[in-house]
Amino acid sequence: MAQMSFRINDTVKKDFENVCDDLGLNPTAALTIFVKKMCREKRIPFEVSLYNSDTLRVLDETKRGKNLSQAFLTVDDLFEDLDNED
């Protein structure tokens, strides 16, 4: 059986141990579940994003064509429209 070692913030470690305890798992079992799922699916088994919820909402709205501004043919037209906003 192989052994892995890594460093983690003390507070995060304690929080992780508490969640594992609440779930009736020890940290080794929880990490083994994570690693097996990752190997089986060939991906991180949850969303990893640099975006916060507001950014994700705006990106989703954009994909659906919601809350978009009008199109401009030139940059000058864009700035003229911005200058005319009240």
Side-chain angles (χ1 to χ4, degrees):
M1 176 124 344
Q3 183 174 338
M4 296 176 69
S5 177
F6 57 93
R7 295 187 184 281
I8 193 165
N9 174 285
D10 290 334
T11 303
V12 173
K13 178 182 180 279
K14 188 64 179 164
D15 290 345
F16 177 65
E17 290 170 337
N18 288 336
V19 171
C20 288
D21 188 53
D22 290 346
L23 293 171
L25 298 170
N26 63 45
T28 298
L31 289 171
T32 299
I33 291 168
F34 169 77
V35 170
K36 285 183 175 184
K37 186 169 178 70
M38 189 172 181
C39 291
R40 184 174 53 250
E41 297 181 6
K42 305 287 190 240
R43 67 180 190 89
I44 296 174
F46 49 82
E47 183 177 334
V48 176
S49 177
L50 297 176
Y51 303 124
N52 63 29
S53 61
D54 290 335
T55 303
L56 291 172
R57 179 184 46 77
V58 169
L59 290 172
D60 181 59
E61 288 175 356
T62 302
K63 281 186 207 174
R64 294 183 290 125
K66 303 275 186 177
N67 299 323
L68 299 177
S69 70
Q70 70 183 40
F72 297 96
L73 297 176
T74 68
V75 173
D76 289 334
D77 291 343
L78 166 66
F79 282 113
E80 182 180 330
D81 184 70
L82 290 172
D83 287 339
N84 291 330
E85 285 187 357
D86 294 323

